[in-house]
C-alpha cells in the first residue's frame, strides 16, 4: 500500500487551502495518466555512413505501458473507488505530484465518527471490487503511545490494555476491559476505552465490525500519525487455493494525523484529520493475475451494436444506418471496408463481445426492415426500420 508521503510545498499549499475550508473538507487526489500512457523518449543514434536513424523508444522510469485490456481493468477499479468517494460526499483535489487515491476528512468533529466512516469506505470499496475476503487491522502501538505521551496514561496501564488488544476482539472485548479494576480505576484508561467502545458501536451500526481486528504486529512507518491506524489485507480462501500466492502487502491503509497540516502552516494552525489511501496498483496486480489464472477475457470497447451487410456496394446504407444509431446515443461500429464478408463481420462481433448486430441487405432494404441478430444465441429477428432504435434500446436495457 503506497503510504501518504510528504507532499511538495505547492501541493501542500493546495491541500492546506482545502483543509482549512469549514465545515468539512474531503479530498480525492486523482490518478494521472502518465502511468498509463508513457511518453516516448526518442534517442537518435545515427552513425556515420548510415542513411537511416535508429530510434529507441523508452518508457520513463517508474511507469509502464498498459494494454487496452489492462486499461479497461484499471479504469473499472478507479471508477469503483471514485464513485464510493463521491457517495460519501467527497470533493475533488488534484495534486500532480502524486498518483494516489485518497479520502481525507478534516475539521473539528465529535470523536470516532469520521474514523468509522473511513473504515466503512474501505469496506465498501474492497467488497465492491470482489477481491475476496479481507480484514482491516488496527494497530495498538500508536494508540498506546498517544495514551502515554498525550493523555498521561501510565505505561504499565497502557501495557495492560495492550495485552487485551492482542486478543483481537471487538465490542465484547472492550466491555470486558471495562470490568477489569486495573483499568476501570484509571481515568485516562476509561477515556481510551470509551473511544474504543464508541468506535465499535459505530462500526456495528455500519455493519462492518466483524471486518475489524486489532493487531499489534501492525506498524505504520510514518511519524505523523497521531491516533488509530489501519491497514486492509486480503485473506486467501479455499476457493482461491489454486491461485499463485501474490505478496502485495496491504491494499488499503490510513489513520488519524491531527498534527500534519500544521507542519505546513506558517502560523502553526492545527487541523484534525483522518483519512485513507487505496492501493490501486496493488489491487490491479491482484485482479490481473486472477484473470490470467482463470483465463478471463476483458472487453476493450463498449460497443453495443455492429452494423453489417452480407452484400457488396452497401457502404452508403451502412453509413446512414450507423449515423442513425450514433445520433440516438447508441455505441456502434462497422468495418472500414467497402465490401467486407459477412462471416468476417460476425466473427469480429463474437471475438470482441459485441452483443447485437444489425444487418442490412437488398432484401431488408426492399421490405423496409432491418435484421437484428443476437450474437450470443445467433437468433435473428426482422425489425421495421422506424422501430429499430427503440427495439435496440429496449434490448440493451434488459441485458
Amino acid at each position: 500500500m503506497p503510504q501518504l508521503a510528504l507532499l511538495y510545498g505547492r501541493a501542500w499549499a493546495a491541500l492546506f487551502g482545502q483543509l482549512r475550508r469549514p465545515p468539512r473538507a474531503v479530498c480525492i487526489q486523482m490518478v494521472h495518466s502518465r502511468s498509463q500512457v508513457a511518453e516516448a523518449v526518442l534517442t537518435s543514434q545515427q552513425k556515420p555512413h548510415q542513411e537511416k536513424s535508429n530510434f529507441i523508444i523508452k518508457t520513463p522510469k517508474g511507469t509502464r505501458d498498459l494494454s487496452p485490456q489492462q486499461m479497461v481493468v484499471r479504469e473499472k477499479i478507479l471508477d469503483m473507488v471514485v464513485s464510493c468517494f463521491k457517495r460519501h460526499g467527497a470533493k475533488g483535489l488534484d495534486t500532480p505530484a502524486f498518483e494516489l487515491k485518497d479520502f481525507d476528512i478534516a475539521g473539528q468533529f465529535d470523536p470516532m465518527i469520521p474514523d468509522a466512516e473511513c473504515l466503512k469506505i474501505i469496506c465498501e470499496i474492497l467488497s465492491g471490487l470482489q477481491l475476496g475476503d479481507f480484514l482491516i487491522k488496527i494497530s495498538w502501538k500508536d494508540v498506546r503511545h498517544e495514551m502515554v505521551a498525550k493523555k498521561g496514561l501510565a505505561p504499565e496501564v497502557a501495557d495492560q490494555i495492550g495485552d487485551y488488544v492482542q486478543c483481537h476482539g471487538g465490542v465484547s472485548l472492550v466491555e470486558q476491559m471495562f470490568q477489569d479494576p486495573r483499568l476501570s480505576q484509571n481515568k485516562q484508561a476509561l477515556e481510551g476505552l470509551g473511544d474504543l467502545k464508541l468506535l465499535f458501536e459505530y462500526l456495528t451500526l455500519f455493519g462492518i465490525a466483524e471486518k475489524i481486528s486489532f493487531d499489534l504486529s501492525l506498524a505504520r512507518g510514518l511519524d505523523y500519525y497521531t491516533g488509530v491506524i489501519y491497514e486492509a489485507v486480503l485473506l486467501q480462501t479455499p476457493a482461491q487455493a489454486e491461485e499463485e500466492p501474490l505478496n502485495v502487502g496491504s491494499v488499503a491503509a490510513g489513520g488519524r494525523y491531527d498534527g500534519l497540516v500544521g507542519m505546513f502552516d506558517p502560523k502553526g494552525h492545527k487541523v484534525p484529520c483522518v483519512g485513507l489511501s487505496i492501493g490501486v496498483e496493488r489491487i490491479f496486480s491482484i485482479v490481473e493475475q486472477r484473470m490470467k489464472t482463470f483465463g478471463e477475457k476483458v472487453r476493450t470497447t463498449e460497443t453495443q451494436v455492429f452494423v453489417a451487410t452480407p452484400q457488396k456496394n452497401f457502404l452508403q446504407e451502412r453509413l446512414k444506418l450507423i449515423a442513425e444509431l450514433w445520433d440516438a446515443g447508441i455505441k456502434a461500429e462497422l468495418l472500414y471496408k467497402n465490401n467486407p464478408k459477412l462471416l468476417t463481420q460476425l466473427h469480429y462481433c463474437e471475438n470482441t463481445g459485441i452483443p447485437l448486430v444489425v444487418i442490412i441487405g437488398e432484401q431488408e432494404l426492399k421490405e423496409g426492415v432491418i435484421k437484428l441478430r443476437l450474437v450470443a444465441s445467433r437468433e435473428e429477428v426482422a425489425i421495421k426500420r422506424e422501430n429499430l432504435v427503440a427495439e435496440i434500446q429496449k434490448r440493451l436495457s434488459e441485458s
Side-chain angles (χ1 to χ4, degrees):
M1 174 63 214
Q3 296 177 340
L4 180 64
L6 294 180
L7 303 181
Y8 295 108
R10 188 174 67 179
W12 264 115
L15 175 60
F16 180 75
Q18 291 291 326
L19 297 180
R20 293 280 293 163
R21 293 181 183 178
R24 167 189 174 111
V26 184
C27 66
I28 306 172
Q29 297 171 39
M30 305 306 294
V31 175
H32 305 286
S33 61
R34 61 179 177 271
S35 63
Q36 295 95 51
V37 184
E39 298 177 357
V41 180
L42 301 179
T43 305
S44 175
Q45 293 187 340
Q46 187 172 8
K47 297 180 180 179
H49 310 298
Q50 285 186 339
E51 296 182 358
K52 295 183 178 180
S53 297
N54 295 325
F55 294 97
I56 300 177
I57 300 178
K58 298 180 179 180
T59 301
K61 293 182 179 180
T63 68
R64 64 166 173 163
D65 292 324
L66 298 181
S67 68
Q69 291 82 2
Q70 291 173 318
M71 280 297 299
V72 170
V73 174
R74 196 172 190 278
E75 286 175 357
K76 287 183 178 179
I77 294 172
L78 295 177
D79 288 345
M80 175 71 70
V81 173
V82 172
S83 64
C84 181
F85 286 176
K86 290 182 177 180
R87 190 164 60 246
H88 286 263
K91 301 176 183 177
L93 175 61
D94 190 359
T95 55
F98 290 90
E99 298 183 7
L100 302 173
K101 269 289 179 283
D102 292 352
F103 183 101
D104 301 276
I105 300 176
Q108 296 283 352
F109 301 102
D110 289 340
M112 296 300 163
I113 300 176
D115 308 69
E117 183 174 4
C118 285
L119 293 169
K120 171 65 172 173
I121 290 171
I122 294 177
C123 287
E124 288 182 10
I125 291 173
L126 296 183
S127 297
L129 291 172
Q130 299 180 342
L131 299 174
D133 199 11
F134 61 89
L135 186 69
I136 301 177
K137 300 179 181 181
I138 298 181
S139 174
W140 187 256
K141 178 180 179 180
D142 292 78
V143 177
R144 177 189 181 279
H145 173 76
E146 182 185 22
M147 286 186 172
V148 174
K150 187 175 179 180
K151 295 186 177 180
L153 186 64
E156 59 271 17
V157 177
D159 288 336
Q160 293 169 4
I161 298 177
D163 292 338
Y164 277 101
V165 174
Q166 292 183 72
C167 297
H168 306 288
V171 177
S172 60
L173 177 60
V174 176
E175 294 288 357
Q176 180 182 349
M177 295 168 70
F178 266 114
Q179 304 302 319
D180 191 324
R182 297 173 299 175
L183 304 177
S184 60
Q185 295 177 5
N186 186 288
K187 180 180 178 181
Q188 289 79 17
L190 286 177
E191 290 178 0
L193 291 174
D195 285 345
L196 281 176
K197 181 179 180 182
L198 190 60
L199 175 61
F200 271 95
E201 286 178 359
Y202 295 152
L203 298 178
T204 300
L205 293 173
F206 285 156
I208 61 170
E210 74 281 357
K211 294 291 186 181
I212 313 300
S213 174
F214 287 104
D215 188 343
L216 278 176
S217 65
L218 176 64
R220 301 284 284 158
L222 301 176
D223 294 333
Y224 55 70
Y225 284 111
T226 59
V228 176
I229 58 174
Y230 35 83
E231 288 187 355
V233 295
L234 300 183
L235 305 176
Q236 193 171 38
T237 63
Q240 300 166 334
E242 66 273 22
E243 296 183 36
E244 181 182 348
L246 184 62
N247 185 18
V248 296
S250 61
V251 293
R256 178 160 288 280
Y257 54 100
D258 291 342
L260 182 59
V261 174
M263 294 169 55
F264 296 88
D265 179 22
K267 297 183 179 180
H269 294 297
K270 291 187 178 181
V271 180
C273 298
V274 63
L276 62 97
S277 294
I278 302 297
V280 173
E281 297 303 329
R282 291 185 177 184
I283 292 174
F284 173 74
S285 298
I286 294 169
V287 175
E288 186 179 27
Q289 176 169 303
R290 290 183 179 177
M291 289 174 57
K292 292 179 180 178
T293 301
F294 298 105
E296 298 178 15
K297 293 184 178 180
V298 177
R299 285 195 64 190
T300 57
T301 71
E302 298 181 4
T303 305
Q304 300 167 314
V305 181
F306 187 88
V307 179
T309 183
Q311 294 169 310
K312 294 182 179 180
N313 303 319
F314 257 73
L315 177 61
Q316 291 185 3
E317 293 299 329
R318 285 191 292 143
L319 294 179
K320 288 192 292 185
L321 182 53
I322 199 170
E324 184 179 341
L325 298 179
W326 286 336
D327 291 343
I330 296 172
K331 301 171 183 176
E333 62 176 290
L334 49 69
L335 286 187
Y336 304 127
K337 288 181 175 293
N338 282 309
N339 301 307
K341 294 181 179 180
L342 180 60
L343 190 59
T344 300
Q345 298 171 83
L346 297 180
H347 281 170
Y348 176 80
C349 296
E350 291 179 354
N351 293 334
T352 57
I354 300 175
L356 299 175
V357 182
V358 292
I359 302 174
I360 184 170
E362 289 182 357
Q363 188 66 27
E364 288 79 18
L365 190 61
K366 181 179 178 180
E367 296 177 359
V369 299
I370 299 293
K371 193 175 292 182
L372 181 62
R373 178 184 177 96
L374 281 65
V375 176
S377 64
R378 299 185 177 180
E379 173 191 356
E380 294 182 353
V381 293
I383 307 295
K384 288 185 177 182
R385 177 65 179 263
E386 61 267 23
N387 298 333
L388 179 63
V389 169
E391 181 65 23
I392 291 175
Q393 292 173 334
K394 176 185 176 183
R395 291 178 180 268
L396 292 175
S397 65
E398 293 174 350
S399 62

